[in-house]
Amino acid sequence: MRALSKSKLIAFRQCPKRLWLEIHQPGVRQDSAATQAVFQTGHAVGAVAQRIYDPAGDGATIDLQAEGVAAAVEKTRKLLQARKPLFEAGMSAAGGLAFADVMLPVMDGATPAWKMVEVKSSTSVKTYQEDDAAIQSYIARAAGVEVRSVCIAHINAAWIYPGEGDYQGLLVEKDVSESAFARSGEVAAWIGSAQRVATQAVPPNVQVGTQCETPFPCGFQEHCRKNQPPAEFPVAWLPRTSSKALKDFLGQTGAQDMRDVPKALLTPLQRRVRDATVSGRPYFDAEGARQDLLPYPLPAYFLDFETIQFGVPRWAGTRPFQMLPFQFSLHQMDAQGQLSHKSFLDISGDEPSEAFAAQLVRACALPLPVFVYHAGFEGSRLKELAQRFPALAPELEAICGRLVDLLPIAQARYYDPRQHGSWSIKKVLPAIAPHLGYDALTGVQDGGMAMAAYLEAIAPATSPQRKALIRDELLAYCALDTLAMVEIWKKFSQSDSIPQPTDSTQGEKAMLIQPAAHSESAKEVPFFAALMQHLMQGTMIPKVQVERSIGPIIGFFLADALASKPDDDIVMLCPEFPIQKAGNNQSTNIDWLMLNLATRELLLVELKTTDTTFRPEQAAIYRELQNKIVREGSAAFLLDDLDAIGAASQERGKYQNVRNLLAQGFGASDANGLREALGHCSRAKVIYLAPQVSKPVDWPTGEDGWTWMSFADLPESLDAHDYADQWPAVRSSLLSLDLLTRRLRNGDVPSASGARNYREVLDFDTLLQRCRMEGASWVVGLKNWRSALPTMTLEQLRAKAYKCDLAEGGVGKKLGSNWIAGGQFLAHVEKLLDR
């Protein structure tokens, strides 16, 4: 008979089948990210508890993974004689196995006695935790240990961390000795029944039910459900099934399909969901939604927060599990339906709340409605910030007073069968705006992943390159939340406006391009706006070269757009200016050759419209031209090159026209004047105008004369241009190019590519050697590593074989959530090795 641990017995108490599966088929268990986060918090609280209960460091800790069960129990027996604090003490008796979080000696007699403390990461004592204490104390006493008292230590949610590593006061105790000792008979019965289940050849016949989520989510749910025929319209899609009558009916009948539930047991909301689901027709009270939004006309803000919480506070002045905002996205829509965007993200590792609050106050300075999705969340955070930072309180409270919640409007006025009983923004958005979706984002796709990504970003071991990637992922995710609100607002308000972004939201998001205006409303849309919308649709059409179609329009405004200083006087010399290739009379064209008359500096401007078109060999040609101008102290040789290219061409007249354009730009009256003017140009600057995400990692940031501009870097207005009123519409469309990444355009899902995406497979020891040599330039394949790695033991890591590849220039395509930087993997393993 194997001894059953407390965790196994608690599994049995939840569901006998769960116990059987944990013993016989542990590999099919799949814990959610939320469950993994709870485990991690528990580990953190346990580590702090040892410092609290043993401030002098005189105690000892039993390492079950290092010792093994038998050795751990024997070592515990010996250490208990020392009468010093003991942590993770192992005791086995009566068919059970217990590892007590804390054993503290009671010094009031000659016979060794102990106070047992079970440490929990919750903020109150739960019923199942009292079961824990009863099991632990029963096994300990059966093993001959004199347990005088049993306490459950839980987190004090009101405690404020003073800083400097002082966690005295984090935990408070509840003495449960009397109830724990009185339940010995119950525990013995549990162990007997659990032992019988454990020895069965087949699992108990237990149907999926409420026990799958109570007292905590079971990791075997997917396994248990796969053998049950799925309901066409699952009862789980009915919202708010908390009424006793409905719960009793489901428990008694086992009904799985909502069609089997009597209508009399359903609320009006549940009936609406059932009717829409069964019929396949969405429900939309369009007039009601429009009326709900009438009191809040444009202009308006759309706001979303991301927060982090720690069971063990990291920053002075904060409480356990306090939701601390580290990021916001804010879209502003003007009265004409045009969008601009501002954001805040702090991944420095410092406490972000005050900087967050200050930036938010500045961003929401206008007294406009602030649309949110679930105002209770943002409203609570704003009130907490106001209490913490009195100097900002009036502005924060004013923002709180302007919140308009889109969620209750959605719940009352809209339901699509694709929502599956949920009104979360991630369920509503694909129904309302199919062209947008969170699954197109790289890395961060939900709030749990955002928290995990933030924790990784602020970890000291995270490389600058990885941190920058996480930053882009977080910015993209949070920005899509507010863009989703914009789409919901458009649907509910029945607005004919076509919002476009007019500021950068870095990283991969979703396509913002809207269909061209219908003819009946086209007259309300400026010509350039309608034209740009039409041209930008080419970004999602095969073989359409968008650069060629939008280049002339950009060139029409570009001279003024590049004049960043008051004394700049930039003129367009020639679009598609030919540059002679080395060794022959062939040419490659720079998109625009321009001139800064104030500095006599030539500008070589290159346009890119996707993240896949930067070519190092092309950049090398521009660098060589730039260097040649510096070496010769003159750009006059461009005329000789132009003559040579023209002489070899069948269209010589075009090259003569280029000469004429140069002369016109320089104001030269003849060939000698043009050569002299070019002779005064002793420097050239290379400018790439391209989507932000396409910037190469090795771009010469510090190199003089090389500039990378995203479309967000272009000025919002061109006051001096003859057609300045058209520029915002052009710029607004260009900004969508910052958002249209390769994966969005081609549906690039690495896991579904079917091709090999790794260089080699290594065992654990060889991998560690490679990681020590290669560091961040090497990546290791580990599925869902953010949640999986913290839970894996050293033995589990040693048992695996690992796909590996170069971080840059590797084989195939990779999903970031399944590949971890070698240096980061090594840092985690070395912590385990040091224990």
Side-chain angles (χ1 to χ4, degrees):
M1 180 177 69
R2 64 179 291 169
L4 297 177
S5 67
K6 178 214 44 177
S7 63
K8 293 293 191 292
L9 294 171
I10 291 297
F12 167 76
R13 294 276 292 142
Q14 180 169 356
C15 173
K17 187 176 181 181
R18 175 174 182 173
L19 169 66
W20 193 93
L21 289 169
E22 289 201 354
I23 293 173
H24 297 281
Q25 293 182 261
V28 300
R29 176 173 172 171
Q30 295 181 330
D31 288 318
S32 66
T35 298
Q36 297 287 358
V38 170
F39 291 158
Q40 292 174 28
T41 299
H43 296 325
V45 174
V48 170
Q50 294 189 16
R51 293 159 55 185
I52 292 173
Y53 286 108
D54 185 23
D58 295 331
T61 301
I62 303 297
D63 189 340
L64 173 62
Q65 293 182 358
E67 303 277 351
V69 173
V73 170
E74 177 60 22
K75 187 173 183 179
T76 297
R77 187 186 65 78
K78 294 178 180 178
L79 288 172
L80 286 172
Q81 305 306 311
R83 304 184 74 174
K84 291 184 178 181
L86 185 58
F87 304 97
E88 304 300 331
M91 296 155 284
S92 181
L97 177 64
F99 283 86
D101 292 332
V102 183
M103 295 289 284
L104 300 174
V106 178
M107 303 296 190
D108 62 355
T111 303
W114 297 87
K115 172 184 175 180
M116 175 185 283
V117 183
E118 284 296 292
V119 179
K120 305 299 179 183
S121 59
S122 58
T123 56
S124 62
V125 174
K126 314 295 184 184
T127 300
Y128 71 87
Q129 294 170 350
E130 296 191 13
D131 292 352
D132 286 2
I135 293 170
Q136 298 287 74
S137 61
Y138 171 79
I139 296 172
R141 298 174 92 189
V145 179
E146 179 62 30
V147 178
R148 189 74 55 81
S149 64
V150 184
C151 291
I152 296 177
H154 62 86
I155 290 176
N156 177 8
W159 177 76
I160 298 177
Y161 176 46
E164 304 297 328
D166 179 8
Y167 288 100
Q168 291 297 328
L170 172 66
L171 299 176
V172 292
E173 291 181 357
K174 178 182 178 180
D175 191 312
V176 294
S177 306
E178 183 177 355
S179 63
F181 296 156
R183 301 176 72 187
S184 297
E186 283 184 72
V187 176
W190 298 343
I191 294 175
S193 298
Q195 289 288 0
R196 288 190 290 274
V197 170
T199 56
Q200 290 179 196
V202 294
N205 183 18
V206 181
Q207 298 299 311
V208 172
T210 56
Q211 78 281 356
C212 298
E213 294 288 344
T214 304
F216 21 68
C218 175
F220 295 101
Q221 290 187 58
E222 184 174 339
H223 170 77
C224 292
R225 285 194 171 96
K226 73 178 183 181
N227 295 321
Q228 294 184 352
E232 185 178 1
F233 305 118
V235 168
W237 293 353
L238 290 174
R240 305 174 187 171
T241 54
S242 56
S243 74
K244 184 178 185 305
L246 179 56
K247 291 172 71 174
D248 288 347
F249 173 82
L250 296 176
Q252 293 165 7
T253 65
Q256 298 295 315
D257 194 299
M258 63 176 69
R259 291 173 296 185
D260 297 330
V261 180
K263 277 194 174 184
L265 296 179
L266 300 179
T267 65
L269 180 63
Q270 291 166 345
R271 290 183 199 139
R272 182 186 305 156
V273 168
R274 188 175 78 163
D275 292 346
T277 302
V278 173
S279 68
R281 294 190 297 271
Y283 168 84
F284 183 30
D285 177 5
E287 180 57 24
R290 191 181 71 82
Q291 291 293 332
D292 291 340
L293 291 174
L294 277 181
Y296 313 105
L298 296 179
Y301 296 119
F302 297 82
L303 177 64
D304 181 70
F305 294 171
E306 296 301 325
T307 61
I308 191 68
Q309 56 181 338
F310 303 99
V312 178
R314 297 193 179 190
W315 299 305
T318 63
R319 295 180 280 94
F321 296 112
Q322 182 175 1
M323 291 186 177
L324 302 168
F326 63 85
Q327 178 180 9
F328 71 72
S329 170
L330 183 77
H331 274 90
Q332 181 179 346
M333 187 184 292
D334 66 20
Q336 287 72 45
Q338 296 294 317
L339 284 178
S340 59
H341 182 255
K342 294 178 181 178
S343 62
F344 172 88
L345 174 61
D346 184 351
I347 53 175
S348 66
D350 298 330
E351 211 282 279
S353 299
E354 187 169 12
F356 174 100
Q359 289 274 26
L360 182 64
V361 164
R362 286 194 287 271
C364 294
L366 298 176
L368 307 178
V370 181
F371 287 104
V372 294
Y373 205 81
H374 187 21
F377 177 75
E378 274 81 10
S380 295
R381 304 294 79 75
L382 288 166
K383 291 174 183 176
E384 291 166 0
L385 290 170
Q387 290 176 350
R388 293 183 62 196
F389 309 112
L392 298 171
E395 292 87 350
L396 292 168
E397 290 169 355
I399 296 171
C400 188
R402 304 201 307 270
L403 296 182
V404 182
D405 198 347
L406 289 169
L407 175 57
I409 301 176
Q411 291 173 326
R413 309 297 186 186
Y414 186 82
Y415 183 77
D416 187 285
R418 288 171 289 183
Q419 293 174 220
H420 292 176
S422 170
W423 279 268
S424 77
I425 200 165
K426 293 164 185 62
K427 288 290 188 179
V428 176
L429 177 63
I432 284 180
H435 62 288
L436 295 177
Y438 289 84
D439 56 354
L441 296 175
T442 297
V444 178
Q445 296 181 347
D446 59 42
M449 296 174 76
M451 288 186 180
Y454 174 78
L455 291 176
E456 182 189 350
I458 66 174
T462 303
S463 69
Q465 295 85 356
R466 177 64 188 156
K467 194 168 185 174
L469 181 60
I470 293 172
R471 179 181 178 82
D472 285 349
E473 292 178 357
L474 285 169
L475 287 169
Y477 166 70
C478 196
L480 185 53
D481 272 346
T482 47
L483 286 170
M485 291 181 216
V486 169
E487 292 296 328
I488 292 170
W489 176 89
K490 286 166 58 182
K491 177 77 172 180
F492 291 176
S493 66
Q494 301 167 62
S495 171
D496 292 329
S497 58
I498 306 175
Q500 297 285 344
T502 54
D503 200 356
S504 174
T505 51
Q506 297 179 16
E508 183 176 282
K509 300 184 190 67
M511 189 172 69
L512 305 179
I513 303 166
Q514 304 296 324
H518 294 296
S519 59
E520 62 185 10
S521 60
K523 61 184 179 182
E524 301 173 9
V525 181
F527 170 73
F528 268 93
L531 177 61
M532 290 298 292
Q533 288 171 26
H534 173 73
L535 295 177
M536 299 301 279
Q537 288 176 353
T539 58
M540 298 297 288
I541 298 175
K543 297 186 179 181
V544 172
Q545 296 187 16
V546 176
E547 289 178 27
R548 293 187 179 183
S549 59
I550 68 173
I553 297 176
I554 297 174
F556 186 66
F557 296 95
L558 194 56
D560 283 1
L562 293 180
S564 58
K565 300 176 182 178
D567 57 348
D568 281 348
D569 187 2
I570 296 177
V571 296
M572 175 71 71
L573 295 178
C574 180
E576 296 295 333
F577 183 79
I579 299 173
Q580 186 178 29
K581 291 184 177 179
N584 58 50
N585 290 327
Q586 295 181 341
S587 64
T588 185
N589 287 7
I590 185 77
D591 286 329
W592 294 286
L593 179 66
M594 308 181 76
L595 171 68
N596 189 332
L597 289 170
T599 62
R600 310 302 294 181
E601 183 178 51
L602 292 177
L603 306 180
L604 312 177
V605 185
E606 181 69 19
L607 172 68
K608 300 296 180 186
T609 58
T610 78
D611 56 313
T612 60
T613 52
F614 176 81
R615 302 198 308 275
E617 61 273 17
Q618 184 184 47
I621 294 174
Y622 301 154
R623 179 177 276 105
E624 173 54 32
L625 176 62
Q626 187 183 40
N627 293 338
K628 185 175 180 180
I629 292 174
V630 172
R631 287 196 306 269
E632 298 195 6
S634 164
F637 67 86
L638 290 175
L639 294 178
D640 299 326
D641 292 350
L642 193 62
D643 290 343
I645 298 168
S649 172
Q650 295 180 355
E651 297 182 313
R652 298 182 184 181
K654 289 187 176 181
Y655 293 92
Q656 180 58 46
N657 184 60
V658 171
R659 266 182 166 269
N660 296 339
L661 290 173
L662 292 177
Q664 181 179 342
F666 278 103
S669 58
D670 54 29
N672 291 333
L674 176 57
R675 183 172 293 275
E676 181 180 357
L678 279 167
H680 291 305
C681 297
S682 58
R683 290 188 307 166
K685 182 177 183 179
V686 177
I687 299 174
Y688 270 72
L689 181 60
Q692 180 64 39
V693 292
S694 64
K695 187 174 183 178
V697 294
D698 56 350
W699 178 261
T701 304
E703 185 173 335
D704 186 39
W706 281 73
T707 298
W708 186 281
M709 293 182 65
S710 76
F711 298 106
D713 295 324
L714 295 171
E716 294 185 11
S717 61
L718 301 178
D719 295 337
H721 198 282
D722 290 343
Y723 295 90
D725 60 321
Q726 301 297 317
W727 169 247
V730 175
R731 181 180 182 273
S732 182
S733 293
L734 292 175
L735 281 173
S736 64
L737 295 174
D738 271 342
L739 314 180
L740 285 165
T741 67
R742 180 179 186 179
R743 183 177 178 199
L744 181 62
R745 292 191 312 277
N746 66 16
D748 173 13
V749 181
S751 61
S753 65
R756 172 172 163 165
N757 68 334
Y758 59 93
R759 188 172 297 274
E760 56 188 311
V761 176
L762 302 177
D763 61 36
F764 179 76
D765 292 329
T766 306
L767 171 63
L768 291 192
Q769 294 177 7
R770 184 66 62 85
C771 288
R772 290 188 177 101
M773 292 187 297
E774 304 289 348
S777 65
W778 195 250
V779 290
V780 180
L782 185 59
K783 187 175 180 180
N784 296 324
W785 62 267
R786 286 198 185 101
S787 59
L789 187 58
T791 68
M792 296 180 72
T793 66
L794 196 56
E795 288 71 21
Q796 289 172 323
L797 290 168
R798 287 186 185 280
K800 283 181 60 62
Y802 297 87
K803 296 177 182 178
C804 305
D805 202 349
L806 296 173
E808 298 293 336
V811 178
K813 304 164 185 175
K814 296 178 174 64
L815 190 63
S817 60
N818 296 337
W819 291 83
I820 180 173
Q824 190 172 353
F825 180 84
L826 178 64
H828 180 83
V829 171
E830 287 182 337
K831 288 181 181 178
L832 295 179
L833 292 171
D834 290 341
R835 290 179 182 174

